[in-house]
Amino acid sequence: MHIIEHIYINGNFVTPEGDEWLDIIKPADGSVIGKARLANRCDAERAISAAHAAFPAFAATRVETRITLLEQMYASVKAAEAELHAAILLEYGAPSSRSRWMASYPADVIRHVIEELKNYPFSQQAGRAIVQMVPLGVAGLITPWNSNAGFICHKLATAVAAGCTTVIKPSEYSVLQTEVIARALHRAGLPDGVFNIVTGRGDTAGHAISTSPKVAKISFTGSTASGKAILRSAAETFKRVTLELGGKSPTLILPDADAASAAEMAVQAGFINSGQACIAGTRILVPVQRKAEFEQALTAAVKKHRSGDPAEPDTTVGPMVNEKQWQRVQRYIALGEEEGARLLAGGTGRPEGLQAGWYVKPTLFSDVTNRMQIARDEIFGPVLSIIAYHDEAEAITIANDTDYGLSALVIGQDEAHARQVGEQILAGRVMINTLAHEPRAPFGGFRRSGIGREMGHWGISAFLEPRAVTLA
Ligand code: NAD
């Protein structure tokens, strides 16, 4: 049994005042593998005070000092990779191909921030003025369960690069992963109060952060609904806010695409992180004149995926993170059938042979219209919809007809043309014939996919505010 009964404040592991204990569930079989004591509002307030007290000295540090601290953070997190991998497998259930990346990414992303920081222009001339980039103050960093360690390290490294101190509120469903990262960060030797970690509920610990007058900035990754609540409470004290929220991303397959390879890539884009990914390409747009051919290719590609034990090497789709998420995905699959979509693969229930664990069948619908709920809502599971279009103009209209705008994928033989099409889609990231992640580029969404951008120099700027000093 894993018993976690501390949080991290001002350089120390301390017992929270909060007395709620949460079961830690292994999604691969639904068993209870431990429990964690959660932080409450008072704990969050103590953490905020520690970060607030540490801010003036930290904001005054030189860039070289912060680079050294980030190097220490990198080395420490890198050394915890194997331990983190074990925690991800156990607590989150990502299949090994994904969990290996999730375990190495937290260190890699710190390295990317260091590279950006080395060239970041903290002072620039603008006419007669010198524009200085000034750290905002205490930053509240709030993370989701679908890549908790990666988001903690990315947000923290960026805040540190900018000279902000932080209070981290990780997902309450990722306590084992947070524990590994907290210990690694403790060993990194950052000054006391620069980072504090309060794992607790969103409506208590999280709410304390998003309402505190001592917090100047919120960097949040999570659902659009929580993002909206945070935006409202942050308005009261004029916090600067970066929100990375949900998506319902289109994969637009052009008429000249090769069916088999396009289908492979489209399904990979849809099933990334077992479908529990904000960037998942869940609406697959195909030309109506080749619909039958694409249906066949996409069905074949879906059937190559295996939903099962994340520890087995041929598993590509792991369990959903918890029962609530499993129920949600089941509801949407049933709704798809009720709405008149045609099931090509998968369906409700667990895959054959699996009685326990939060496994779902990799599912593909066709005859989906963009008005259907399954085409509009973020399902956050491996459930894909094929939507047919008559011509390119209609395809672009459908791609843009969404409340979201996080990511888009365009697949076609003629790359220049695919790019022309992609540049008409309103999304924070548009990928042309690739799923490659570019860490130097900004990440974030249009519309309800969020506000602001993370990554690259845009990410550092989001923790700073310009001050123009004009000389006579
Ligand atoms: P969630 O919104 O339920 O929770 C995210 C975090 O916010 C958790 O730590 C939670 O405790 C906290 N929280 C909830 N309500 C809060 C409040 N009122 N005040 C302060 N904190 C609060 O999301 P989730 O279920 O953990 O994650 C899944 C969602 O995250 C999906 O919608 C997904 O699209 C989104 N996501 C977005 C990105 C992105 O970069 N755009 C990346 C990953 C996940």
Side-chain angles (χ1 to χ4, degrees):
M1 286 290 266
H2 298 263
I3 308 293
I4 296 181
E5 50 185 332
H6 48 253
I7 52 177
Y8 190 82
I9 297 181
N10 208 25
N12 298 298
F13 287 94
V14 296
T15 305
E17 194 177 288
D19 56 5
E20 180 189 350
W21 285 87
L22 184 75
D23 283 343
I24 307 170
I25 313 272
K26 180 180 175 185
D29 61 12
S31 63
V32 177
I33 52 167
K35 51 184 188 163
R37 184 167 171 170
L38 298 181
N40 65 11
R41 169 170 275 278
C42 294
D43 296 311
E45 280 164 3
R46 270 170 66 207
I48 293 166
S49 293
H52 196 249
F55 176 69
F58 195 63
T61 52
R62 291 159 54 84
V63 170
E64 292 71 29
T65 307
R66 303 206 292 276
I67 290 174
T68 304
L69 291 172
L70 287 167
E71 297 280 5
Q72 289 166 208
M73 214 174 125
Y74 168 80
S76 197
V77 170
K78 185 80 192 156
E81 185 174 325
E83 204 189 341
L84 181 60
H85 184 244
I88 291 169
L89 258 185
L90 185 65
E91 178 182 52
Y92 178 57
S96 62
S97 51
R98 178 75 188 176
S99 55
R100 292 210 175 283
W101 180 84
M102 287 172 77
S104 60
Y105 180 73
D108 290 345
V109 79
I110 298 170
R111 163 86 29 234
H112 298 317
V113 172
I114 294 170
E115 293 314 313
E116 286 299 334
L117 178 57
K118 284 180 180 164
N119 299 308
Y120 188 84
F122 279 92
S123 177
Q124 284 183 75
Q125 195 78 36
R128 281 166 54 190
I130 296 163
V131 180
Q132 301 163 334
M133 297 303 283
V134 180
L136 280 169
V138 175
L141 314 178
I142 305 177
T143 69
W145 44 258
N146 68 337
S147 193
N148 180 63
F151 286 120
I152 289 178
C153 288
H154 182 212
K155 289 179 192 295
L156 175 61
T158 314
V160 164
C164 290
T165 57
T166 65
V167 178
I168 303 166
K169 210 302 279 168
S171 171
E172 55 274 44
Y173 301 110
S174 310
V175 288
L176 296 184
Q177 298 156 77
T178 297
E179 173 72 3
V180 174
I181 290 296
R183 297 216 171 268
L185 293 175
H186 177 65
R187 288 191 291 268
L190 270 60
D192 291 350
V194 167
F195 79 96
N196 302 274
I197 303 180
V198 283
T199 301
R201 300 270 183 200
D203 56 4
T204 53
H207 189 253
I209 296 168
S210 64
T211 50
S212 170
K214 288 183 182 162
V215 173
K217 156 92 189 174
I218 299 281
S219 175
F220 169 81
T221 299
S223 64
T224 295
S226 305
K228 208 190 269 185
I230 287 170
L231 194 56
R232 276 204 198 97
S233 40
E236 208 51 53
T237 45
F238 278 87
K239 292 186 197 340
R240 276 47 183 162
V241 173
T242 301
L243 302 175
E244 302 288 0
L245 310 176
K248 192 72 193 178
S249 299
T251 293
L252 202 172
I253 303 180
L254 290 168
D256 68 346
D258 167 66
S261 58
E264 292 283 340
M265 187 180 273
V267 170
Q268 214 187 324
F271 289 171
I272 180 172
N273 205 1
S274 307
Q276 301 176 124
C278 50
I279 52 170
T282 46
R283 293 183 297 142
I284 305 175
L285 279 46
V286 303
V288 73
Q289 62 274 23
R290 292 181 66 194
K291 183 179 164 204
E293 187 188 353
F294 279 116
E295 281 183 348
Q296 211 172 28
L298 287 160
T299 306
V302 166
K303 290 195 168 158
K304 281 189 194 161
H305 283 264
R306 190 173 168 278
S307 169
D309 188 338
E312 285 174 19
D314 60 341
T315 295
T316 53
V317 175
M320 301 295 93
V321 70
N322 54 31
E323 182 179 7
K324 186 172 157 217
Q325 192 61 25
W326 186 85
Q327 295 287 5
R328 175 185 168 90
V329 176
Q330 296 301 314
R331 263 200 319 278
Y332 273 106
I333 297 175
L335 180 66
E337 292 191 274
E338 281 163 32
E339 287 183 302
R342 182 163 48 94
L343 198 59
L344 296 182
T348 52
R350 288 188 171 83
E352 233 179 76
L354 294 168
Q355 319 310 335
W358 305 122
Y359 300 102
V360 299
K361 296 178 189 164
T363 294
L364 178 66
F365 283 111
S366 191
D367 296 343
V368 177
T369 72
N370 208 43
R371 290 285 103 206
M372 289 181 186
Q373 215 63 44
I374 55 164
R376 305 213 69 82
D377 294 358
E378 182 183 54
I379 299 173
F380 227 53
V383 181
L384 309 181
S385 295
I386 300 176
I387 303 173
Y389 64 84
H390 290 89
D391 55 31
E392 217 167 83
E394 190 189 20
I396 294 164
T397 302
I398 296 170
N400 283 328
D401 176 16
T402 168
D403 288 340
Y404 296 104
L406 190 60
S407 182
L409 169 65
V410 182
I411 304 174
Q413 300 268 7
D414 179 347
E415 191 167 271
H417 183 69
R419 177 178 164 179
Q420 255 177 34
V421 171
E423 287 175 357
Q424 295 175 69
I425 299 177
L426 279 184
R429 271 196 179 183
V430 178
M431 327 280 280
I432 312 295
N433 291 330
T434 181
L435 298 176
H437 169 68
E438 176 47 71
R440 280 162 297 201
F443 183 80
F446 284 69
R447 308 190 191 98
R448 294 181 199 181
S449 286
I451 294 180
R453 294 292 183 269
E454 293 191 293
M455 313 212 78
H457 65 78
W458 296 267
I460 298 179
S461 296
F463 286 90
L464 298 162
E465 186 110 5
R467 172 172 60 203
V469 179
T470 308
L471 304 173

